[in-house]
């Protein structure tokens, strides 16, 4: 089978990791190429290793040249002649659905369960348009039950059963139960709840001053005025100065930062469906503390590690309980989440389910 994946950009993100993993999980005889609407981002090298060819269409993030994007994607399709075109993220969906059919089946995956006013109005408008025009797809795949409900509310057609996101599973579990580092692996955006996490961490330092919080992701850096202001508002400037709070910015090596972590904290307030970072943490044997948003509950090893979104008291309590746990207890958490990743979130499981979606989408296309 010849599959063309289409994504909006090549920056580090959950959808991009899923696409990379799918590119590495092909069956013998399959061939896959990737089209990126924008240029070569910080995930470019990884994507280029996963696909036989990556086409960068090199449109600017601010570009509104939809006809130009459609024509550029058509050129890729003419050269590759895919049987299936699989798009991820709303901008890529829009370009894919507007492209005249070439006989290839079109499949989309939804990666959100909602928006707020903090999300760019253009993104919200495009999501509405994609939902209304989704009849142009042969299948639309939600990544979780919350995502399925979002698709139904946005009037998506041809919704399939949800398929969990996936990520590579390391060969061994190298989790360090003695680590006193909490890790936030997320871009700086209102959806991610960083101010709530910072305040909860400040409270943790009152009783556990030897713990560290590492915030890693685009915008989670000292050159972001919003991040610096949030640190000051939480009373954590001293912790930032002495290294107990770290704003590291984006990383190209997720496995390396996970190897340092005692726990991953997902502090999202809304919008998450089945965040890939949770899969990556579980696969690395790193316990997860999360808010009850989307499918995040699937990543935790104990109900004590799951809290309501936006509840500073509850999140601070969860951090406190984890910090009070023994290395033996953390080892138990690690084994539990690692086993779950191996049995439920592995690339082979997702690849098999997507293969069935492709098969049915092709049958639908050919029956027209």
């Amino acid at each position: 089978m010849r599959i063309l994946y289409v994504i909006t950009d090549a920056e580090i993100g959950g959808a991009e990791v899923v696409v990379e993993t799918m590119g590495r999980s092909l069956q013998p005889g399959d061939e896959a190429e990737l089209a990126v609407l924008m240029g070569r981002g910080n995930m470019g090298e990884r994507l280029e290793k996963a696909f036989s060819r990556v086409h960068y269409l090199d449109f600017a993030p601010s570009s509104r040249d939809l006809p130009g994007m459609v024509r550029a994607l058509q050129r890729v399709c003419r050269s590759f002649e895919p049987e299936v075109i699989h798009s991820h993220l709303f901008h890529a969906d829009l370009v894919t659905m507007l492209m005249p059919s070439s006989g290839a089946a079109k499949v989309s995956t939804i990666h959100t369960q909602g928006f707020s006013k903090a999300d760019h109005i253009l993104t919200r408008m495009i999501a509405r348009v994609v939902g209304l025009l989704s009849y142009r797809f042969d299948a639309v795949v939600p990544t979780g039950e919350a995502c399925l409900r979002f698709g139904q509310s946005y009037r998506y057609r041809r919704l399939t059963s949800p398929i969990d996101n996936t990520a590579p599973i390391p060969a061994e579990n190298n989790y360090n139960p003695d680590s006193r580092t909490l890790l936030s692996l997320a871009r700086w955006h209102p959806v991610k709840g960083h101010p709530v996490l910072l305040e909860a961490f400040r409270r943790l330092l009152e009783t556990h001053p030897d713990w560290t919080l590492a915030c890693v992701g685009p915008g989670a850096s000292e050159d972001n005025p919003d991040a610096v202001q949030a640190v000051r508002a939480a009373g954590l400037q001293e912790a930032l100065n002495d290294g107990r709070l770290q704003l590291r910015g984006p990383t190209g090596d997720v496995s390396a930062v996970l190897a340092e972590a005692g726990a991953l904290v997902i502090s999202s307030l809304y919008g998450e469906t089945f965040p890939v970072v949770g899969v990556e943490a579980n696969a690395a044997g790193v316990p997860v503390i999360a808010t009850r948003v989307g499918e995040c509950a699937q990543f935790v090893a104990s109900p004590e590690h799951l809290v309501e979104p936006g509840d500073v008291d509850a999140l601070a309590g969860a951090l406190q309980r984890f910090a009070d746990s023994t290395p033996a207890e953390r080892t138990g958490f690690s084994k539990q989440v690692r086993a779950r990743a191996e049995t439920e979130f592995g690339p082979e499981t997702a690849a098999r389910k997507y293969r069935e979606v492709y098969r049915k989408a092709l049958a639908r296309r050919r029956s027209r």
Side-chain angles (χ1 to χ4, degrees), residues 187-203:
R187 62 192 170 101
W188 193 276
H189 185 279
V191 68
K192 301 301 183 180
H194 283 98
V196 175
L197 173 58
L198 292 175
E199 174 60 24
F201 178 65
R202 183 194 64 77
R203 298 186 189 183

Side-chain angles (χ1 to χ4, degrees), residues 37-38 58-66 68-69 91 122 126:
L37 299 186
M38 300 178 191
D58 286 325
F59 287 88
S62 59
S63 176
R64 304 292 183 264
D65 185 10
L66 271 177
M69 294 180 190
H91 292 74
L122 181 60
I126 290 175

Side-chain angles (χ1 to χ4, degrees), residues 180-184 193-215 230-231 234-247 263 265 267 289 311-320 323:
R180 288 179 171 79
T181 296
L182 300 169
L183 173 65
S184 169
H194 283 98
V196 175
L197 173 58
L198 292 175
E199 174 60 24
F201 178 65
R202 183 194 64 77
R203 298 186 189 183
L204 176 67
L205 289 182
E206 294 175 358
T207 55
H208 294 73
D210 56 339
W211 279 70
T212 295
L213 172 63
C215 296
V231 169
L236 287 172
Q237 186 62 52
E238 182 179 347
L240 181 65
N241 294 342
D242 63 27
R244 288 178 295 169
L245 171 62
Q246 300 169 10
L247 299 178
V265 185
S267 54
I289 299 166
D311 190 332
V312 174
D313 292 339
L315 183 56
L319 299 184
Q320 177 89 35

Side-chain angles (χ1 to χ4, degrees), residues 59-368:
F59 287 88
S62 59
S63 176
R64 304 292 183 264
D65 185 10
L66 271 177
M69 294 180 190
V70 170
R71 289 193 296 270
L73 187 58
Q74 279 184 288
R75 288 193 291 271
V76 173
C77 288
R78 283 195 294 267
S79 68
F80 181 50
E81 298 182 344
E83 296 173 79
V84 175
I85 304 172
H86 187 172
S87 60
H88 294 252
L89 304 176
F90 296 120
H91 292 74
D93 287 341
L94 183 60
V95 174
T96 298
M97 66 170 42
L98 292 178
M99 185 179 64
S101 174
S102 60
K106 294 181 179 179
V107 176
S108 167
T109 293
I110 310 175
H111 290 274
T112 189
Q113 60 133 318
F115 300 103
S116 77
K117 292 182 179 179
D119 293 286
H120 198 287
I121 188 171
L122 181 60
T123 299
R124 288 182 276 153
M125 290 174 60
I126 290 175
R128 287 288 183 187
V129 172
V130 170
L132 292 172
L133 297 180
S134 58
Y135 64 87
R136 293 172 178 260
F137 288 114
D138 296 285
V140 177
V141 182
T143 53
E145 294 296 333
C147 189
L148 174 61
R149 293 191 292 272
F150 167 85
Q152 292 168 338
S153 70
Y154 271 55
R155 300 183 181 181
Y156 273 81
R157 312 285 184 86
R158 302 193 178 111
L159 286 161
T160 72
S161 298
I163 297 178
D164 293 342
N165 280 332
T166 184
I169 308 293
E172 297 180 357
N173 182 355
N174 294 316
Y175 174 67
N176 177 11
D178 294 317
S179 170
R180 288 179 171 79
T181 296
L182 300 169
L183 173 65
S184 169
L185 191 55
R187 62 192 170 101
W188 193 276
H189 185 279
V191 68
K192 301 301 183 180
H194 283 98
V196 175
L197 173 58
L198 292 175
E199 174 60 24
F201 178 65
R202 183 194 64 77
R203 298 186 189 183
L204 176 67
L205 289 182
E206 294 175 358
T207 55
H208 294 73
D210 56 339
W211 279 70
T212 295
L213 172 63
C215 296
V216 179
S221 58
E222 293 185 57
D223 59 3
N224 178 359
D226 290 339
V228 172
Q229 181 179 357
V231 169
R232 291 173 179 167
L236 287 172
Q237 186 62 52
E238 182 179 347
L240 181 65
N241 294 342
D242 63 27
R244 288 178 295 169
L245 171 62
Q246 300 169 10
L247 299 178
R248 298 189 188 179
T251 179
D253 192 348
V254 170
S255 60
V257 294
L258 283 170
E260 304 173 23
L264 174 78
V265 185
I266 302 176
S267 54
S268 299
L269 303 180
Y270 64 93
E272 298 286 7
T273 54
F274 200 94
V276 172
V277 66
V279 179
E280 292 176 308
N282 280 187
V286 176
V288 174
I289 299 166
T291 52
R292 196 185 302 275
V293 176
E295 313 304 320
C296 290
Q298 294 199 43
F299 304 126
V300 304
S302 166
E304 293 186 340
H305 300 161
L306 188 68
V307 302
E308 294 303 318
D311 190 332
V312 174
D313 292 339
L315 183 56
L319 299 184
Q320 177 89 35
R321 287 188 292 274
F322 187 84
D324 287 339
S325 63
T326 66
E329 289 172 325
R330 292 175 209 157
T331 297
F333 298 148
S334 175
K335 290 180 178 178
Q336 183 177 337
V337 299
R338 167 75 180 199
R340 178 187 298 151
E342 292 175 338
T343 57
E344 299 179 22
F345 308 148
E348 302 82 6
T349 301
R352 183 180 66 253
K353 291 180 178 180
Y354 271 113
R355 185 81 179 196
E356 182 63 14
V357 169
Y358 297 159
R359 187 189 66 78
K360 291 181 178 179
L362 279 168
R364 175 187 292 276
R365 174 68 60 170
R366 290 165 178 168
S367 67
R368 292 179 183 178

